[in-house]
């Protein structure tokens, strides 16, 4: 296959979908690899290293897209301001696109429709199921680790006060209080990082097992009031809650949220729009100078007023909806991402080309568009809603 890796064009995105190490593996597997010139520079991988690994460097972005059987990206396709074209418009029928698409997010619906219209076979990395045989394919887990760590550092940077307890000549300053909503991989890393920084930590998750893990990290668990039978889907994921149950969860969390200095939001339902946990009215009652870091924004966000892709102070609260937090750790996150995507391509490839077995849970979970149709269940539900 001809595998092409373009330079990421999202603002401040410093990752790339392949390292010289994974390029060498692709070439050893018999594939031809093209890299857009400078694609690895922000993550400290020089063009010369890719050439040494067996790749060909291309300066022409449109030619790169044209050549590809498979396009490997980090972020969803966007409009390329430099050449005046949307990345999807440079794709063609039968081409495979493998990247984080987050297709259920309302902001991505038009782009997903364009992919279907172009005849692109789009595979989304956020759909990889968290099962034992998919662990080395799971880029979402890898990037969640980065987001949990870096997200808390960003919160500390925006916070109007110290994170740890401080003893000064003029008196004692109490430690910050940090609530993590959604204690998956990112949430656990966020709790661990906040605790390292000296904060008092709290956690909320509708899944009892996740709450138990939070306790093991020293967090006080806040009861969400969600019955276990409504909380857990196959594979241990969180379920989409009925509206009345979600409303009750908000009521129970609200007294704690009002007391927090930092609220880290990472509650997700795989393949679906993220649940709204914090309404605008709740934000209005939060402490002045407090911070919300909403890493669920790729799937719509857990806070109703999170600014997608940026951060903004609203009602005295700094709300951070930056979408590419792992890109702020470009070297570590690129290394992890590139390994995941290499293993996924290798898993899907048979007799030298990608072949999708729709009886395979991994294939059926990641497929978004095929044969000019949108086939991703969570996306279709979100579009109909």
């Amino acid at each position: 296959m001809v595998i092409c890796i373009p330079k990421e064009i999202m603002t401040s995105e410093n990752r790339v979908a392949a390292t010289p190490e994974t390029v060498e593996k692709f070439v050893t597997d018999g594939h031809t690899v093209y890299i857009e010139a400078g694609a690895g520079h922000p993550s400290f991988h020089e063009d010369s290293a890719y050439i040494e690994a067996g790749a060909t460097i291309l300066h022409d972005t449109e030619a790169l897209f044209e050549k590809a059987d498979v396009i490997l990206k980090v972020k969803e396709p966007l409009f390329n301001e430099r050449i005046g074209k949307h990345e999807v418009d440079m794709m063609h029928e039968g081409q495979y696109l493998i990247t984080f698409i987050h297709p259920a997010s309302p902001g991505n619906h038009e782009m997903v429709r364009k992919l279907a219209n172009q005849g692109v076979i789009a595979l989304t990395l956020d759909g990889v199921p968290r099962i034992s045989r998919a662990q080395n394919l799971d880029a979402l887990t890898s990037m969640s680790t980065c987001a949990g760590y870096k997200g808390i550092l960003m919160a500390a940077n925006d916070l109007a006060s110290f994170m740890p307890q401080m003893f000064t000549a003029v008196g004692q300053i109490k430690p910050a209080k940090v609530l993590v909503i959604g204690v998956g991989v990112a949430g656990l890393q966020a709790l661990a990082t906040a605790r390292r920084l000296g904060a008092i930590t709290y956690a909320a998750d509708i899944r009892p097992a996740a709450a138990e893990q939070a306790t093991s990290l020293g967090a006080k668990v806040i009861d969400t009031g969600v019955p276990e039978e409504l909380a857990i889907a196959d594979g241990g994921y969180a379920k989409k809650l009925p509206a009345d149950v979600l409303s009750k969860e908000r009521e129970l969390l609200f007294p704690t949220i009002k007391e927090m200095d930092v609220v880290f939001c990472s509650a997700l339902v795989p393949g679906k729009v993220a649940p709204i946990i914090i309404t605008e009215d709740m934000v209005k009652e939060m402490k002045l100078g407090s911070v919300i870091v909403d890493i669920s924004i790729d799937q719509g966000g857990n806070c109703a007023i999170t600014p997608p892709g940026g951060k903004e102070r609203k009602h005295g609260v700094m709300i951070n909806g930056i979408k590419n937090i792992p890109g702020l750790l470009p070297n570590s996150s690129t290394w992890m991402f590139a390994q995941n995507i290499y293993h996924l391509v290798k898993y899907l490839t048979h007799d030298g080309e990608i072949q999708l077995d729709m009886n395979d849970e991994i294939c059926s979970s990641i497929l978004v568009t095929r044969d000019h149709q949108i086939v991703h269940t969570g996306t279709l539900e979100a579009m109909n809603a």
Side-chain angles (χ1 to χ4, degrees):
M1 295 184 296
V2 176
I3 297 174
C4 292
I5 295 95
K7 186 175 183 177
E8 296 296 320
I9 58 174
M10 177 178 279
T11 303
S12 300
E13 178 53 77
N14 295 316
R15 291 172 292 175
V16 65
T19 61
E21 180 183 350
T22 58
V23 164
E24 186 173 358
K25 291 179 180 180
F26 281 129
V27 172
T28 300
D29 291 342
H31 306 302
T32 301
V33 180
Y34 290 93
I35 307 276
E36 186 171 358
H41 289 176
S43 58
F44 307 100
H45 298 101
E46 297 299 319
D47 289 351
S48 58
Y50 286 113
I51 293 170
E52 188 177 339
T56 299
I57 301 296
L58 283 183
H59 292 266
D60 187 330
T61 306
E62 292 185 73
L64 182 89
F65 276 83
E66 177 61 32
K67 286 178 179 292
D69 296 315
V70 181
I71 297 168
L72 304 181
K73 277 178 52 60
V74 178
K75 298 301 292 182
E76 68 271 18
L78 300 166
F79 186 82
N80 190 318
E81 299 283 354
R82 181 177 59 83
I83 61 177
K85 280 189 176 181
H86 198 286
E87 288 180 311
V88 176
D89 292 330
M90 293 186 278
M91 299 178 193
H92 57 75
E93 186 161 355
Q95 221 168 32
Y96 284 89
L97 169 67
I98 304 177
T99 187
F100 280 116
I101 299 173
H102 300 290
S105 176
N108 290 334
H109 289 176
E110 182 180 352
M111 177 267 294
V112 171
R113 292 187 182 99
K114 285 168 69 75
L115 286 168
N117 290 338
Q118 290 289 94
V120 176
I121 305 165
L123 308 175
T124 187
L125 295 170
D126 51 292
V128 174
R130 281 181 175 155
I131 55 179
S132 58
R133 63 190 176 91
Q135 285 183 343
N136 65 348
L137 322 176
D138 189 358
L140 185 59
T141 289
S142 295
M143 297 304 99
S144 294
T145 299
C146 298
Y149 167 78
K150 190 67 172 180
I152 288 295
L153 297 185
M154 294 164 68
N157 193 52
D158 285 331
L159 194 59
S161 57
F162 290 114
M163 187 75 85
Q165 180 173 244
M166 299 292 283
F167 295 95
T168 77
V170 291
Q172 175 188 345
I173 298 174
K174 293 182 178 180
K177 295 180 179 180
V178 176
L179 169 64
V180 173
I181 300 175
V183 193
V185 175
L188 289 170
Q189 187 59 236
L191 283 173
T193 303
R195 190 167 175 82
R196 290 186 204 110
L197 291 176
I200 298 173
T201 53
Y202 300 76
D205 198 297
I206 63 176
R207 299 163 298 171
E212 185 177 332
Q213 288 180 304
T215 302
S216 72
L217 289 176
K220 178 182 178 180
V221 174
I222 309 303
D223 182 22
T224 64
V226 179
E228 185 172 346
E229 62 272 16
L230 292 179
I232 305 173
D234 293 340
Y237 292 109
K239 272 186 181 178
K240 182 179 179 180
L241 297 177
D244 60 328
V245 177
L246 182 58
S247 178
K248 181 65 175 177
E249 181 186 4
R250 290 192 198 105
E251 289 179 20
L252 290 173
L253 292 178
F254 187 34
T256 300
I257 289 171
K258 288 195 297 183
E259 298 300 316
M260 294 298 105
D261 299 290
V262 173
V263 180
F264 182 91
C265 299
S266 59
L268 293 172
V269 178
K272 302 185 188 298
V273 176
I276 298 295
I277 307 294
I278 304 174
T279 65
E280 182 169 8
D281 286 341
M282 293 167 73
V283 174
K284 290 177 181 178
E285 296 295 320
M286 290 178 65
K287 292 169 67 172
L288 295 177
S290 61
V291 177
I292 295 172
V293 176
D294 191 351
I295 71 163
S296 297
I297 192 60
D298 275 323
Q299 288 178 227
N302 293 145
C303 175
I305 57 172
T306 300
K311 66 179 183 178
E312 186 179 341
R313 194 175 300 279
K314 299 182 178 183
H315 308 300
V317 179
M318 180 62 79
I319 307 177
N320 191 327
I322 290 176
K323 287 189 171 186
N324 56 341
I325 292 175
L328 302 176
L329 289 168
N331 195 263
S332 294
S333 59
T334 285
W335 183 82
M336 297 170 77
F337 183 90
Q339 294 292 334
N340 292 138
I341 209 165
Y342 167 74
H343 287 297
L344 179 59
V345 172
K346 191 170 181 67
Y347 179 85
L348 298 174
T349 300
H350 305 279
D351 299 324
E353 62 182 28
I354 290 179
Q355 297 178 23
L356 299 178
D357 176 5
M358 298 314 294
N359 293 316
D360 182 347
E361 180 183 358
I362 294 172
C363 295
S364 61
S365 297
I366 64 177
L367 184 62
V368 178
T369 61
R370 189 184 198 181
D371 298 326
H372 295 276
Q373 299 292 321
I374 298 168
V375 298
H376 189 264
T377 303
T379 304
L380 293 171
E381 288 179 6
M383 286 179 171
N384 289 334

